[in-house]
Amino acid sequence: MMKKFWLLLLSAFIPFISFSIPQLSPYAKVSLITVSPGQELYSSFGHSAIWIKDDSNHIDKIYNYGTFDFDTPGFYSKFVRGKLLYMLSVSRSDYLIYGAEQEQRSVIEQQLNMTSSQKQKLYNFLEINYLPENRYYKYDFFYDNCSSRLRDAFKAALGDSLQFKNIAFKNQSFRQLIDPYLVNKQFQDLGMDLGLGAPADRIATPSQYMFLPDHLMNAIGNATVLSDSGKTAFVARNNVLFKANQPKEESMLVTPAMVFAILLLIGGFSTFVTWKKRPQKFTMDGILFLILGLFGLLLLFLWFGTDHKVTVHNWNIIWAFPTHIIVAILLFKKKRSFSTGYYFLFNGIVVLIFTACISILPQEINMAIVPLLLLIIIRSFTLYYKITKRRNYYPI
């Protein structure tokens, strides 16, 4: 009985024995680290981390909320469906700088002006967050990511003593905020614009701007904090830990707008040349509308089959409707029903209205697809005419 008693008593103290947070020395340094955008799509928007360094206690920790585990069961499925958990990781500062050097991404340090108690509160917050039961979280690109988590950490540790100024607030949407990072990645920009729905066009608040590392860095740089000497600038000094070589700006030989314009020219020329002909099959149109229908299925999946909050209410579904798959299959046949022709008449009218109203829609549409929309309109009306007026159909 006594043995069991001592085991129970010991087990009650295990959490306190196994987890104790060191007391930072008065010389501890707390910094916000900002890594500039990289060349790959995943690194296009930069990265943020918190650095706590205390030589007296041999502490050199980079707190990074932007990591995930490739060994997670069903990794790719969870990633696509927005169910993958990201986590807080901790590493040494030299590892981060070495990685940035390899990718030629600049590293900027903002050493923060904080009291000893404020540093300790932030350190305690991060260490508790790093516990296995706390480190995982549901990642959201706009609302809960590696940058916004640091904003929230500063708020949690410093409370009302930290004041952000709204001098950089320009009344922009989330989509407008990420566009400058994709200027030289037009195909990636198009892909993101097509996948993001109307929620991406909500106007971001000054606090929400900080989901981007550059905006977090600017906000921290203009913030104030109550310290031992009163109200002071939150940033004590700025240091460039690594200066990357300026990448050469290469002009894009092929752009999405160019690709769609060429398709429009080919489709328009083909329509003109074959106007008086009576084809038995519409193979090229079948391929076009099959691709559009499959893309529409992808949009529906992003809308209803994932946990992504910003891929819902996507107006691009209007011109890429999944039912195009069915009529595309009919176009490969020698004859098709009268109703198929009227399907294309209806589709042509809908896409024409969509294109005419593109500037007033509640969702910003990438203008590179306008030639594609015109091609859909031209071929829809042409198919209506040739299927119904040229009597290449069977009644139902």
Tab-separated table of all heavy atoms in Angstrom, residues 224-254:
chain	number	residue	atom	x	y	z
A	224	THR	N	4.206	50.617	-30.853
A	224	THR	CA	4.783	51.128	-29.603
A	224	THR	C	4.450	50.160	-28.476
A	224	THR	O	3.507	49.370	-28.561
A	224	THR	CB	4.221	52.521	-29.261
A	224	THR	OG1	2.783	52.439	-29.136
A	224	THR	CG2	4.585	53.534	-30.335
A	225	VAL	N	5.249	50.236	-27.399
A	225	VAL	CA	5.043	49.357	-26.262
A	225	VAL	C	5.369	50.108	-24.973
A	225	VAL	O	6.227	51.004	-24.963
A	225	VAL	CB	5.929	48.090	-26.392
A	225	VAL	CG1	7.398	48.441	-26.310
A	225	VAL	CG2	5.546	47.042	-25.356
A	226	LEU	N	4.661	49.776	-23.909
A	226	LEU	CA	4.941	50.370	-22.604
A	226	LEU	C	6.079	49.590	-21.953
A	226	LEU	O	5.958	48.386	-21.711
A	226	LEU	CB	3.692	50.316	-21.722
A	226	LEU	CG	2.533	51.229	-22.133
A	226	LEU	CD1	1.333	51.009	-21.217
A	226	LEU	CD2	2.952	52.688	-22.107
A	227	SER	N	7.173	50.248	-21.716
A	227	SER	CA	8.338	49.613	-21.106
A	227	SER	C	8.691	50.332	-19.805
A	227	SER	O	7.933	51.181	-19.330
A	227	SER	CB	9.523	49.640	-22.076
A	227	SER	OG	9.899	50.976	-22.347
A	228	ASP	N	9.850	50.028	-19.246
A	228	ASP	CA	10.281	50.646	-17.988
A	228	ASP	C	10.442	52.158	-18.131
A	228	ASP	O	10.288	52.902	-17.157
A	228	ASP	CB	11.615	50.029	-17.542
A	228	ASP	CG	11.461	48.560	-17.185
A	228	ASP	OD1	10.339	48.168	-16.798
A	228	ASP	OD2	12.444	47.807	-17.313
A	229	SER	N	10.762	52.596	-19.331
A	229	SER	CA	10.970	54.034	-19.565
A	229	SER	C	9.747	54.713	-20.148
A	229	SER	O	9.831	55.828	-20.652
A	229	SER	CB	12.169	54.237	-20.505
A	229	SER	OG	11.981	53.533	-21.720
A	230	GLY	N	8.613	54.035	-20.101
A	230	GLY	CA	7.384	54.618	-20.617
A	230	GLY	C	7.048	54.066	-21.995
A	230	GLY	O	7.462	52.973	-22.371
A	231	LYS	N	6.323	54.841	-22.785
A	231	LYS	CA	5.892	54.423	-24.111
A	231	LYS	C	7.040	54.612	-25.099
A	231	LYS	O	7.502	55.720	-25.330
A	231	LYS	CB	4.672	55.237	-24.540
A	231	LYS	CG	3.971	54.714	-25.781
A	231	LYS	CD	2.690	55.509	-26.032
A	231	LYS	CE	1.926	54.941	-27.212
A	231	LYS	NZ	0.672	55.696	-27.466
A	232	THR	N	7.497	53.514	-25.699
A	232	THR	CA	8.634	53.583	-26.616
A	232	THR	C	8.330	52.779	-27.873
A	232	THR	O	7.348	52.039	-27.951
A	232	THR	CB	9.910	53.011	-25.963
A	232	THR	OG1	9.680	51.630	-25.627
A	232	THR	CG2	10.277	53.777	-24.712
A	233	ALA	N	9.192	52.946	-28.860
A	233	ALA	CA	9.076	52.161	-30.089
A	233	ALA	C	9.291	50.688	-29.762
A	233	ALA	O	10.157	50.331	-28.954
A	233	ALA	CB	10.102	52.637	-31.111
A	234	PHE	N	8.492	49.820	-30.362
A	234	PHE	CA	8.582	48.397	-30.073
A	234	PHE	C	9.891	47.806	-30.593
A	234	PHE	O	10.440	46.880	-29.998
A	234	PHE	CB	7.385	47.669	-30.695
A	234	PHE	CG	7.208	46.250	-30.237
A	234	PHE	CD1	7.594	45.836	-28.976
A	234	PHE	CD2	6.639	45.308	-31.087
A	234	PHE	CE1	7.428	44.527	-28.553
A	234	PHE	CE2	6.476	43.999	-30.682
A	234	PHE	CZ	6.871	43.605	-29.419
A	235	VAL	N	10.395	48.348	-31.697
A	235	VAL	CA	11.640	47.840	-32.276
A	235	VAL	C	12.807	48.677	-31.773
A	235	VAL	O	12.847	49.900	-31.970
A	235	VAL	CB	11.594	47.857	-33.814
A	235	VAL	CG1	12.949	47.469	-34.403
A	235	VAL	CG2	10.500	46.919	-34.322
A	236	ALA	N	13.743	48.019	-31.130
A	236	ALA	CA	14.926	48.710	-30.611
A	236	ALA	C	15.953	48.932	-31.700
A	236	ALA	O	16.568	49.992	-31.791
A	236	ALA	CB	15.537	47.917	-29.457
A	237	ARG	N	16.159	47.938	-32.553
A	237	ARG	CA	17.105	48.075	-33.669
A	237	ARG	C	16.801	47.032	-34.732
A	237	ARG	O	16.202	45.997	-34.461
A	237	ARG	CB	18.545	47.933	-33.186
A	237	ARG	CG	18.905	46.605	-32.586
A	237	ARG	CD	20.383	46.565	-32.184
A	237	ARG	NE	20.680	47.603	-31.215
A	237	ARG	CZ	20.553	47.435	-29.905
A	237	ARG	NH1	20.116	46.281	-29.433
A	237	ARG	NH2	20.847	48.389	-29.068
A	238	ASN	N	17.227	47.356	-35.952
A	238	ASN	CA	17.071	46.449	-37.093
A	238	ASN	C	18.436	45.927	-37.515
A	238	ASN	O	19.402	46.697	-37.593
A	238	ASN	CB	16.416	47.169	-38.282
A	238	ASN	CG	14.978	47.567	-37.997
A	238	ASN	OD1	14.084	46.740	-38.008
A	238	ASN	ND2	14.751	48.852	-37.742
A	239	ASN	N	18.499	44.642	-37.812
A	239	ASN	CA	19.739	44.035	-38.274
A	239	ASN	C	19.461	43.160	-39.491
A	239	ASN	O	18.451	42.438	-39.525
A	239	ASN	CB	20.374	43.158	-37.186
A	239	ASN	CG	20.701	43.942	-35.928
A	239	ASN	OD1	21.312	45.006	-35.999
A	239	ASN	ND2	20.294	43.432	-34.770
A	240	VAL	N	20.331	43.242	-40.462
A	240	VAL	CA	20.254	42.354	-41.620
A	240	VAL	C	21.193	41.184	-41.350
A	240	VAL	O	22.410	41.340	-41.391
A	240	VAL	CB	20.635	43.078	-42.920
A	240	VAL	CG1	20.582	42.107	-44.100
A	240	VAL	CG2	19.702	44.258	-43.173
A	241	LEU	N	20.628	40.022	-41.060
A	241	LEU	CA	21.438	38.850	-40.734
A	241	LEU	C	22.003	38.183	-41.985
A	241	LEU	O	23.055	37.550	-41.935
A	241	LEU	CB	20.606	37.848	-39.942
A	241	LEU	CG	19.989	38.370	-38.641
A	241	LEU	CD1	19.215	37.259	-37.933
A	241	LEU	CD2	21.056	38.952	-37.725
A	242	PHE	N	21.293	38.337	-43.092
A	242	PHE	CA	21.799	37.823	-44.365
A	242	PHE	C	21.168	38.629	-45.494
A	242	PHE	O	19.956	38.814	-45.529
A	242	PHE	CB	21.480	36.342	-44.551
A	242	PHE	CG	21.826	35.821	-45.917
A	242	PHE	CD1	23.152	35.700	-46.312
A	242	PHE	CD2	20.821	35.474	-46.811
A	242	PHE	CE1	23.473	35.234	-47.588
A	242	PHE	CE2	21.135	34.995	-48.074
A	242	PHE	CZ	22.464	34.892	-48.459
A	243	LYS	N	22.001	39.118	-46.389
A	243	LYS	CA	21.541	39.886	-47.539
A	243	LYS	C	21.687	39.033	-48.788
A	243	LYS	O	22.792	38.698	-49.213
A	243	LYS	CB	22.364	41.177	-47.683
A	243	LYS	CG	21.969	42.040	-48.875
A	243	LYS	CD	20.577	42.615	-48.709
A	243	LYS	CE	20.254	43.582	-49.848
A	243	LYS	NZ	18.875	44.118	-49.741
A	244	ALA	N	20.556	38.661	-49.382
A	244	ALA	CA	20.580	37.802	-50.565
A	244	ALA	C	20.923	38.613	-51.803
A	244	ALA	O	20.708	39.829	-51.863
A	244	ALA	CB	19.222	37.128	-50.747
A	245	ASN	N	21.481	37.948	-52.781
A	245	ASN	CA	21.729	38.583	-54.068
A	245	ASN	C	20.412	38.904	-54.745
A	245	ASN	O	19.469	38.111	-54.690
A	245	ASN	CB	22.558	37.666	-54.964
A	245	ASN	CG	23.938	37.388	-54.389
A	245	ASN	OD1	24.537	38.257	-53.759
A	245	ASN	ND2	24.438	36.172	-54.589
A	246	GLN	N	20.349	40.059	-55.368
A	246	GLN	CA	19.133	40.473	-56.046
A	246	GLN	C	18.901	39.569	-57.258
A	246	GLN	O	19.754	39.493	-58.143
A	246	GLN	CB	19.233	41.938	-56.500
A	246	GLN	CG	17.922	42.560	-56.929
A	246	GLN	CD	16.968	42.752	-55.761
A	246	GLN	OE1	17.377	42.789	-54.607
A	246	GLN	NE2	15.685	42.895	-56.063
A	247	PRO	N	17.783	38.849	-57.312
A	247	PRO	CA	17.548	37.954	-58.456
A	247	PRO	C	17.333	38.744	-59.741
A	247	PRO	O	16.778	39.848	-59.724
A	247	PRO	CB	16.279	37.193	-58.054
A	247	PRO	CG	15.583	38.102	-57.096
A	247	PRO	CD	16.672	38.841	-56.356
A	248	LYS	N	17.770	38.170	-60.833
A	248	LYS	CA	17.573	38.820	-62.135
A	248	LYS	C	16.113	38.720	-62.538
A	248	LYS	O	15.506	37.650	-62.479
A	248	LYS	CB	18.451	38.150	-63.189
A	248	LYS	CG	19.944	38.330	-62.959
A	248	LYS	CD	20.730	37.653	-64.068
A	248	LYS	CE	22.242	37.837	-63.852
A	248	LYS	NZ	23.026	37.156	-64.914
A	249	GLU	N	15.554	39.864	-62.928
A	249	GLU	CA	14.164	39.868	-63.361
A	249	GLU	C	14.095	39.393	-64.811
A	249	GLU	O	14.621	40.030	-65.718
A	249	GLU	CB	13.561	41.278	-63.225
A	249	GLU	CG	13.393	41.724	-61.779
A	249	GLU	CD	12.612	43.016	-61.672
A	249	GLU	OE1	12.089	43.464	-62.717
A	249	GLU	OE2	12.535	43.567	-60.568
A	250	GLU	N	13.459	38.252	-64.994
A	250	GLU	CA	13.339	37.682	-66.332
A	250	GLU	C	11.922	37.913	-66.849
A	250	GLU	O	10.948	37.560	-66.194
A	250	GLU	CB	13.655	36.189	-66.295
A	250	GLU	CG	15.083	35.887	-65.839
A	250	GLU	CD	15.355	34.399	-65.799
A	250	GLU	OE1	14.417	33.618	-66.107
A	250	GLU	OE2	16.481	34.014	-65.457
A	251	SER	N	11.831	38.511	-68.026
A	251	SER	CA	10.529	38.748	-68.623
A	251	SER	C	9.938	37.430	-69.095
A	251	SER	O	10.636	36.562	-69.629
A	251	SER	CB	10.656	39.716	-69.807
A	251	SER	OG	11.553	39.203	-70.769
A	252	MET	N	8.648	37.255	-68.883
A	252	MET	CA	7.982	36.015	-69.258
A	252	MET	C	7.742	35.986	-70.762
A	252	MET	O	7.152	36.912	-71.334
A	252	MET	CB	6.660	35.883	-68.505
A	252	MET	CG	6.802	35.767	-66.998
A	252	MET	SD	5.231	35.402	-66.198
A	252	MET	CE	4.875	33.764	-66.852
A	253	LEU	N	8.228	34.922	-71.402
A	253	LEU	CA	8.026	34.780	-72.840
A	253	LEU	C	6.585	34.397	-73.151
A	253	LEU	O	6.042	34.780	-74.190
A	253	LEU	CB	8.986	33.731	-73.400
A	253	LEU	CG	10.482	34.047	-73.255
A	253	LEU	CD1	11.321	32.891	-73.797
A	253	LEU	CD2	10.818	35.343	-73.990
A	254	VAL	N	5.991	33.613	-72.245
A	254	VAL	CA	4.609	33.166	-72.436
A	254	VAL	C	3.811	33.489	-71.183
A	254	VAL	O	4.249	33.199	-70.068
A	254	VAL	CB	4.551	31.646	-72.707
A	254	VAL	CG1	3.112	31.204	-72.915
A	254	VAL	CG2	5.397	31.284	-73.919
